Structure formats: structure tokens, C-alpha cells
Amino acid sequence: MHTADTAALPADDGASRLAAAHPPVPRKAPVERRHHGDVFVDNYEWLRAKEDPAVVAHLEAENAYTEAVTGHQQPLREAIFNEIRSRTQETDLSVPMRKDGWWYYNRMQEGKQYAIHCRVQARDTGDLAADWTPPQVDPGTAVPGEQLLLDGNAEAEGMPFFALGGTAVTKDGNLFAYAVDNSGDERFTLRIKDLRSGQLLPDVVENVFYSPAFSPDGSRVFYTVVDQTWRPHQVKCHVLGTSVEADTVIHQEDDPAMWTGFDLSADRRHLVVSISCSEYSETRLLDFADQDSGLRTLIPRAERILYDAEPFLLDGRQMVLLTHNKDAVNSMVSLAALAEFDKPVAEQEWATVVAHDDAVRVNGAGVTASHVVLSVRKDTIERVQAIPLAGLGTGAQAAPAEPGFDEQLFTAGFSGSDYEAPVVRLSYTSFFTPPRVYDYELATGRLWLRKETPVLGGYDRSAYVAGREWATAQDGTRIPLSVLRRAGVRQDGSNPALVYAYGSYEHSMDPWFSTARLSLLDRGVVMVIAHVRGGGEMGRKWYDDGKKLRKKNTFTDFVDATDWLAASGWADPARIAAMGGSAGGLLMGAVANLAPEKYAAILAQVPFVDPLTSILDPELPLSALEWEEWGNPIEDPAVYAYMKSYSPYENIRPVPYPRIAAVTSFNDTRVLYVEPAKWVARLRELGTGSEPVVLKTEMDAGHGGASGRYEAWKDAAWDYAFVLDALCAVKPVNV
């Protein structure tokens, strides 16, 4: 049995604290936005001028006010930080992954912020079980023959920010490429290290995007470049030992609504260039054996098919495995000879590998030398399946095999494989099972547990419960909910609660383990993850029903999930908070306007709360790419009117809003700091309530927050302390 910790603070502490702190009041500089006959007057658009000292001063004043209002939460932040740290094995390592005759892994050391990247030579004895069993690597103990590739801590020394944008090793194992960001703006500097000598090559490429890759012969490195709107638009090739100015553009994408990326095919015979939006795509191949022939288009974008392609050799023939939505809303998998793509699409012959199923979403398919590996979603759950290549696409094809797990709610994913490997690496987790690493033996279906992330401090997963419930939306749609709690929490209507969701881009809130979340649950909080429309949990239609002119379903689903929680007996209706980030931050802004009275507090992380202003300006980072998600308000008056009707910034009302915190980063390139800065200013201007509205800006961070694991723990502690304080649930409870 437990009671709410309502005596955590003196009754007048909050009032006296607010009386002593005054929020900064930004000046008003009216700017008129005119579109489709509508005029919107924006008083705070001047905050977009990032280089203006007045803007920086305002953000610093906001930070000072936030600390004045929330400074009493510091002991709680420290308690949560220490709880996270006490449960984490700080000196730890990843499970070695075999590739090209080496085992690659990362070490984490106590007191260090960043990973140390290492490798050790593999052996080939002819005993597959022995040769593909990862070497035993103990925390703090070097492995004989261990080679240091990169120490993130040394790279980060003296820098305000550090993040890796990808690494790559040549097939012969001699060269190591890595991309580093030292500001948080996701523009990386690419460097190359000779692992034989330990020396850096003179080749340095600035302003690259994520995931560089070497050509199979190791003579070239491929990378992407973003344009002025932060859209990846070029795939380039640098020949080692030559001037960067001579780098070749492999592909340049001029359509502002298309995103460009690349990868190597699994067998490394092709460079695969992918050009896509959320509704259709185009794949182009560069054959490394015939590079002079240039890029070869498979299905042109004019066909309006959304697909991924994996070229590979099957019985000596060059084939392509397609995951596509042609006549298949949830996607399916087909097989075709590469030569078929010389014909018009209507004349091509594709064999079915995985047929379309209204109840199963096919998310992707890859290949090894012996199997197709599938990622599918059924009953909201991400699963992995495998099909032998023998007989693929014929009547002799074997049925998909799937590893079995013993939990109802879990996430299983394919996390990599050497092409020739007899096993594939799987990741597994659930809400209360820490991340596991398995090797899945393709020929036998056997699972080899390689590691479960340790949770220290006497963690007992049986002390927690995760269950599936369903809320009913206003239109009768059933909304899946994941309900998390301590096992002893009673369904008596007295508990604090937190509702969390995302609901955009077909991104699913799959079950995941969080050490930080335990600090919430241990204080009696019931957490509900609402799988609202706009996500991908229930298939492609679930996503389509929460985007463009149906976007409001995302917001009303969240409110309906909150109503379910308030009526379920699991929560005190007066002690429910809401949390979401990025597009989930847009969701927070929308529900704050829709139903402010239903929440004791709202935490909006890097929130996209001024979407119409951003998407109306195609020069802003990534704006044009967003048209496939939200619609194009520049060209379509109906889209403009619809977005204006839900834009959080433009629909603030003179009502009492709950306690609100907006957390953002000054160098975020995805959701600019100006959106939450303007939102907070207008909430204070128009809101009629007495609860504080605060803005916390990390001045040296990007979209993911500050760099370094300890800084990330501090961020989580700040966020959860804000929520717990608002819910009067600051101390652990006995349940």
C-alpha cells in the first residue's frame, strides 16, 4: 500500500518561489505572414536570428528563469541520476561482431563519457560453432591482440560536443574511416586512419553527413552531403590520396522533397543509391565490376512505388530482392532478375517471396549468402523471420522461420551479419527485459544468447508489469496502449501517471528497456505509451490515418488514451502528465490546446510546435521533405487551413494551461530552437493560468541533446524530476 507524497514540499513553497522569479519578456516585433488570403501576425519571429546577441541573451535569461523555478528539483535530479548510474555497469562492452576476419566491439569505462572502439583477429579453424562464437571480452581486461581503433574520449577532449556519424573499415582491414561532429549540427568531418601504422591519412573531408563507406577495393570512400536546407542531396566519392576538390558526385538529387542516401549491397558488388520520400522511391545501382557504365535505375520514381532493393547473386544469376508496396499497402517481398528492370514495369516478371497480408506489415528484407532475413510487424510487435535462398520465389520455397520468445510485448530486430556468416545477429528487448544480443543460427533456428545488459542494484524484473490495453477513439477506432507499472500498484484511482507518445513518420513506439524509466515507476507512476495513429504499430494504414489531412487523429487519439487512463482506476485524473519529443512535441503542443485541463504537467522535448511557419519556408532545414508527411501548405490552401487549425503556436488560447516545460537545443538542425522559444513566449502572453511555463535550452547540443552518456543521464533526470515534481511523486514508494 502507498500514499502520494503530497508533503514533499511546504504548501507555500511553489507560490513563494514563483513570486521571486520573473520570466523574461521578449520584445514584440510584429511580422505578417500572408498565405492564401490568411494573415497571421507573429510577434516573436525575431527570435529566429540565431547570431543576434539579443536572441542568445534571451535564451540565457530563459535558462536562468527555468533554474529559478525548478532549482528546488535539484536534489530529485541528483537522486534520479544516481539511481541511473547505480543500475548501470559503467565498465562494459558490446558483443563482438565478426566481419572480414575480425571481431569488432566497443568498450565503456567507468568515468568515461564515450565508447572506445576495438577489434581482435578472428580465427578460421573449420569448426563453424567455434569460429563464430564471439571471443570472451571482460570489462577492464584487454584481449590478447586487441587493437584500438578509436577512443571517443580522446577525440572529445576539449570539445563542447562529440558525436560519431559512422565508421567504416576496408575489406582488407587496413583502413578505418570515422566521421566526427563537434558542434551538434550533424555536419561531420571525415578522417581516415591507417590501422597498420596508427597514423591518420592526409585525406580530410569536411561537412559530410552520416555513414561513410569504402569501396570493396579500399581505394575510395563514399559519403553524402547536405544542401543548405540540411537535406542529403549528393552522394560523392573521394579517391584516397587525391584532393577533396576533385571528389566525384555520383548522384545529385535536385528535387527538394526527396532524401538521398546510399549503402553497399550485402555482397558488396554494388553501390545502392536510394532516393525517397515517405510515399515513393527510386533505387540506382553502381556495379563495382563495371563502374564506367554509371548508375542504373531500377524502378523510376514516376511509377510512384515505395520500395527497397537488394541486389545479390542467386545460383550465379544477378537478382534483386524487392520490398515494395505495389498493390500491397502493407508491402510485400518479390524477386526479379536484374535484367527485368530494363523493361517497362508492367512487363517485368516478379516472383512472390512474401505475399501481402492486411495483418502483417513488411518493413524490410535483406540477404546473406544462404538466407533472406525479414523484418515484419504483426500484432504491433516487430519480429524477425528467415527464409532459405534455396527455392526462393518458386513452389519449392520454404516457409519463413521465426525465433520464439516468451514475452507478449517485445522487440526483436536484425542488427547485422557478415554476408557469409552461418548466423545473424539479433537484438531483443522488452519493457522490463534489458537489451539482449542473440546469434540466430540460420540452418537450425537455434538461438545463442550472447549477452543480456546487466542491471545492477538488485533489479528484479518481476517487480514490474507491462500489459496491453485498448482505448476507444472518438471515431470508434481501437488504440493500443502499453501500460507499465510496479507490480504492487493498486487500481484504486490514486496513482500519479504519465502518458507518452510520438505518432508520426510511421515510427513505432516498440517495447524498449529504460533504466531511467525505473525511477519513475519506483515512485508509483503508472506509465502509458499510447500507440496513436501516425505511428506504424498497426500497419501502413495506421500511419496514413495520422498524416496530412488526417493528422488530427494523432492528437485526439492521445486525448482519448488519457481519458481511458483517467477512467481505468490506474490513475488519479488530477495527477496525469504528458510527454513527447520532436514530432511528439508537436503532439504535446496540440493536446495542450485541445485539453489543457486533463494534464497536471506537459513536457515537450525538442518540440515541433510551429510547423506551419517552418514548412511554409522551403529554405529552412528539411522543410520541403516534410510535405509528404504534413502536406504542402505553400501550394494547397486546404493543407494550409488544416495545419493552421492545429498548429500549437497559432492556437494558443486564453485558458489556464498546466505546468509546461519545453526542452530544446541551440544547435538542433531538425527542430530549430526558435519554435519552442516562440511557443513559450506566446503561452505566457495568452495563457491565463498560474502554473509556470519554462524553456530549457542546451547551448552546446543537437537534436538528441547533450553528448556523452553522463550528460544524457542528467538530461533524463531533469525531465523526469520536472514530471515527478508536478505529480507530487518525488519519493520512492513501497508497493
Side-chain angles (χ1 to χ4, degrees), residues 65 67 97 136 220 242 251 287 426 611 646 651 653 701 726:
Y65 171 70
E67 186 52 32
M97 179 77 176
Q136 181 66 39
R220 289 158 295 152
T242 67
H251 173 74
D287 188 341
L426 302 184
Y646 68 70
N651 287 279
R653 301 181 285 139

Side-chain angles (χ1 to χ4, degrees), residues 225-234 251-261 274-282 284 300-302 304 618-619 622-628 632 635:
V225 177
V226 297
D227 64 13
Q228 67 274 11
T229 69
W230 239 262
R231 176 183 66 95
H233 77 126
Q234 287 182 335
H251 173 74
Q252 176 167 314
E253 181 53 50
D254 294 324
D255 186 336
M258 301 295 279
W259 184 285
T260 301
S274 302
I275 307 126
S276 65
C277 63
S278 66
E279 299 190 343
Y280 54 90
S281 59
E282 181 175 282
R284 301 185 183 188
R301 69 190 73 181
R304 291 303 191 261
E619 299 302 315
L622 306 179
S623 287
L625 291 168
E626 300 289 350
W627 294 339
E628 296 301 329
N632 185 344
E635 302 292 338

Side-chain angles (χ1 to χ4, degrees), residues 108-151:
M108 294 296 294
Q109 293 182 357
E110 184 173 357
K112 301 289 188 180
Q113 295 267 29
Y114 303 101
I116 301 169
H117 302 257
C118 305
R119 73 176 181 178
V120 67
Q121 191 87 47
R123 61 176 183 171
D124 289 300
T125 66
D127 181 341
L128 291 182
D131 292 347
W132 289 92
T133 297
Q136 181 66 39
V137 183
D138 297 316
T141 303
V143 178
E146 182 175 87
Q147 184 176 12
L148 174 67
L149 304 179
L150 181 76
D151 184 344

